[in-house]
Amino acid sequence: MTAPWHVTDSLAAQYASGSAAEPDAWSLEKHVEACEGCAVRVSAAVRAGSSGAVLADVRASLLETVRTETAAGRGRAPRRPAVSPSLGIGGQGLSPVSRWARVLWAVGPALRGAWLVAVLVVVAAAVGLAYGAGFREARPALLAVAPMLPLAGVAVSYGRHADPMYEIGVATPSGGLRLLLTRAAAVLGVCVPVLTAAGAVLPPVTGVPGAAAWLLPALALTLAALALGSFVGCRAASATLAGGWLLAVTGPVLGRPGATAELARYLSGPAAQGGWAAAAVVCAGLLALRRRSFDHLETR
């Protein structure tokens, strides 16, 4: 049996000021649901902080609104709460299609914006060029472009420049790194099957890696974008890494006839794949060390 855990005055003060780490804030919020004493302590700390006056005004305004609507609504039938796909209010009666729409909305802006259209356009263009125009270099061209697409998805999924609900998301227990990883996983969940399947149906080219050779580089670049994003923001990090890949790989491959065989140096073989795997592990470790940086709003 473990000793009972309670919120300390120090943790309550950190939570009230917004400086508590995400795991600590999440534990505190779950704990005060069942502990009245700690709830009173946290409430007192919040009221004593800089937001106390604002909360008092909001509370007074809310009580006045409730009293007004109660007086005006006497004798009327109670209204059912409105269904909001984005907030999940009143969702018990939603159809399966509506539930999936809510899930799609929650996973991030990338999957409901121009990025998803761009991925489908790239795939359609590669298949169309290969089988409609007889372009033999369609498969290596797709492999050269594929690792940049998850970076673009991450750039438009998280951050104050990309997500209109960013400030609200960071303030919740499930915000910060947890939300970022959820949306990055959703981006990869779209890219991996779509781009790999497209690469598999394209005509093979001698000396060019297989359809799945881009997966480890894409994973390493995505983790690198997340880790670098803890310093400069996800948009700037994704743009930097995508620009580097464009200059080092995509540009040379697409810019010179017969240069597609150079893809093997970056994508295939034990040395290349092992290097990308090691880079992914290093970036994941750095991301774990920098995880608390996502508990605060981006300043860039």
Side-chain angles (χ1 to χ4, degrees), residues 213-221 223-224 266-267 269-285:
W214 70 279
L215 295 179
L216 271 178
L219 176 61
L221 289 174
L223 289 173
Y266 299 101
L267 301 182
Q273 291 290 311
W276 289 115
V281 171
V282 171
C283 292

Side-chain angles (χ1 to χ4, degrees), residues 118-148:
V119 172
L120 298 178
V121 168
V122 168
V123 170
V127 175
L129 287 173
Y131 292 101
F135 183 58
R136 295 186 63 257
E137 308 294 326
R139 182 170 181 174
L142 180 63
L143 290 176
V145 172
M148 293 193 300

Side-chain angles (χ1 to χ4, degrees), residues 4-284:
W5 176 84
H6 292 286
V7 178
T8 64
D9 292 336
S10 174
L11 179 57
Q14 292 178 7
Y15 179 81
S17 64
S19 59
E22 177 191 355
D24 296 336
W26 183 84
S27 299
L28 180 148
E29 291 175 353
K30 294 297 292 183
H31 178 74
V32 297
E33 293 177 359
C35 182
E36 182 179 356
C38 289
V40 171
R41 182 177 295 109
V42 173
S43 179
V46 173
R47 290 198 304 271
S50 59
S51 58
V54 177
L55 291 176
D57 292 341
V58 171
R59 181 177 183 274
S61 177
L62 179 60
L63 290 176
E64 180 61 27
T65 302
V66 170
R67 282 194 294 266
T68 302
E69 292 188 355
T70 301
R74 286 175 181 172
R76 299 178 184 175
R79 295 181 301 173
R80 296 182 62 186
V83 176
S84 172
S86 60
L87 299 179
I89 299 175
Q92 290 83 356
L94 292 179
S95 66
V97 174
S98 298
R99 290 193 183 96
W100 278 109
R102 282 171 45 186
V103 172
L104 182 61
W105 183 269
V107 294
L111 301 191
R112 55 179 190 267
W115 173 82
L116 182 58
V117 176
V119 172
L120 298 178
V121 168
V122 168
V123 170
V127 175
L129 287 173
Y131 292 101
F135 183 58
R136 295 186 63 257
E137 308 294 326
R139 182 170 181 174
L142 180 63
L143 290 176
V145 172
M148 293 193 300
L149 295 178
L151 295 177
V154 170
V156 298
S157 289
Y158 189 84
R160 63 186 180 92
H161 298 288
D163 187 357
M165 302 293 289
Y166 169 67
E167 287 82 2
I168 298 176
V170 172
T172 63
S174 59
L177 181 59
R178 185 181 306 176
L179 179 62
L180 175 58
L181 290 177
T182 299
R183 292 183 173 179
V187 167
L188 290 174
V190 171
C191 285
V192 169
V194 172
L195 295 176
T196 303
V201 301
L202 293 176
V205 178
T206 303
V208 173
W214 70 279
L215 295 179
L216 271 178
L219 176 61
L221 289 174
T222 301
L223 289 173
L226 300 184
L228 183 59
S230 67
F231 296 97
V232 300
C234 289
R235 186 174 70 164
S238 299
T240 300
L241 291 171
W245 180 267
L246 179 65
L247 293 175
V249 181
T250 308
V253 168
L254 299 182
R256 299 201 316 269
T260 55
E262 295 182 7
L263 277 175
R265 292 192 304 163
Y266 299 101
L267 301 182
S268 66
Q273 291 290 311
W276 289 115
V281 171
V282 171
C283 292

